[in-house]
Amino acid sequence: MALREIVKFPDPRLKEVSKPITEVDDTLRELARDMIDVMYDEPGIGLAAPQVGASIRMFVIDTEWSDEEVRRNPVVVLNPEISDPEDKIIWEEGCLSVPDYSANVERDAKITLRGIDLDGNPIEEHAEGLRAVCIQHEVDHLDGILFIDRISRLKRGLYVKKRKKQLLDEED
Ligand code: NI
């Protein structure tokens, strides 16, 4: 089965604010399964629905898996909400929708994540470090925000230039 293609910067769909999910049906479950496949294939540790072109509030995350270990624990979160931010942390972030780039971003060091799973059961997770960073990064996607929107204008400008050149080169 072909994997879904990742939407990449500067695709305007990445700037949309995604809609809350009101019903879990088979189409949504299939999308979640596809997103998990894409995340492991890339590989990545998180993927938000807008990154595969679906403007809905859902993301998948697995911050602990590795190629060497079989153990995988993908968590699918619908309608996520972040609360109880504590302390700050700076982490070097990358994104499957922002090719060939990474930069330091300041985030909340500890957060609480609430949402629902695909069975409609509530999710509540207290996260810190990489896990907290990743959750904030994915929720940003649902609000049309990329990590390059959280770095200096100068750094962002340099990346945009590099990316435009990369896209021109691809056309040749
Ligand atoms: Ni991302």
Side-chain angles (χ1 to χ4, degrees):
M1 189 203 72
L3 288 165
R4 290 189 198 231
E5 205 171 312
I6 294 206
V7 175
K8 289 175 182 159
F9 180 82
D11 192 307
R13 286 175 289 175
L14 293 169
K15 296 187 84 167
E16 283 175 26
V17 177
S18 294
K19 291 177 186 63
I21 293 165
T22 52
E23 200 192 336
V24 178
D25 57 15
D26 286 346
T27 311
L28 190 79
R29 281 188 204 98
E30 195 185 317
L31 175 65
R33 272 198 302 274
D34 287 355
M35 284 170 58
I36 290 169
D37 289 344
V38 171
M39 176 175 72
Y40 290 129
D41 181 72
E42 280 291 329
I45 55 172
L47 190 73
Q51 294 183 273
V52 289
S55 192
I56 54 169
R57 301 191 80 79
M58 173 166 76
F59 71 80
V60 298
I61 185 174
D62 187 350
T63 46
E64 281 164 15
W65 77 282
S66 71
D67 272 339
E68 297 82 53
E69 282 179 62
V70 185
R71 189 169 52 95
R72 289 180 173 184
N73 183 26
V75 176
V76 179
V77 188
L78 281 53
N79 298 339
E81 301 280 350
I82 291 173
S83 60
D84 311 317
E86 248 184 84
D87 304 331
K88 293 290 178 189
I89 189 172
I90 291 173
W91 206 279
E92 188 178 347
E93 295 185 27
C95 178
L96 299 175
S97 294
V98 182
D100 306 312
Y101 190 64
S102 63
N104 285 337
V105 180
E106 188 184 82
R107 300 280 187 183
D108 297 316
K110 295 177 188 173
I111 54 146
T112 299
L113 167 70
R114 288 190 182 85
I116 54 169
D117 67 16
L118 284 170
D119 298 316
N121 298 316
I123 290 173
E124 184 176 323
E125 182 183 324
H126 303 283
E128 57 181 81
L130 170 65
R131 185 88 173 171
V133 167
C134 189
I135 290 167
Q136 289 166 84
H137 177 118
E138 300 313 330
V139 172
D140 263 0
H141 274 298
L142 307 183
D143 292 323
I145 299 166
L146 297 174
F147 80 94
I148 51 170
D149 300 322
R150 295 191 179 278
I151 61 178
S152 73
R153 284 182 64 165
L154 178 70
K155 276 192 193 167
R156 191 184 190 284
L158 287 171
Y159 173 70
V160 171
K161 222 168 140 182
K162 177 179 144 172
R163 177 67 179 146
K164 277 182 182 161
K165 190 179 176 302
Q166 188 180 45
L167 287 168
L168 282 173
D169 291 347
E170 277 174 18
E171 278 174 24
D172 293 341

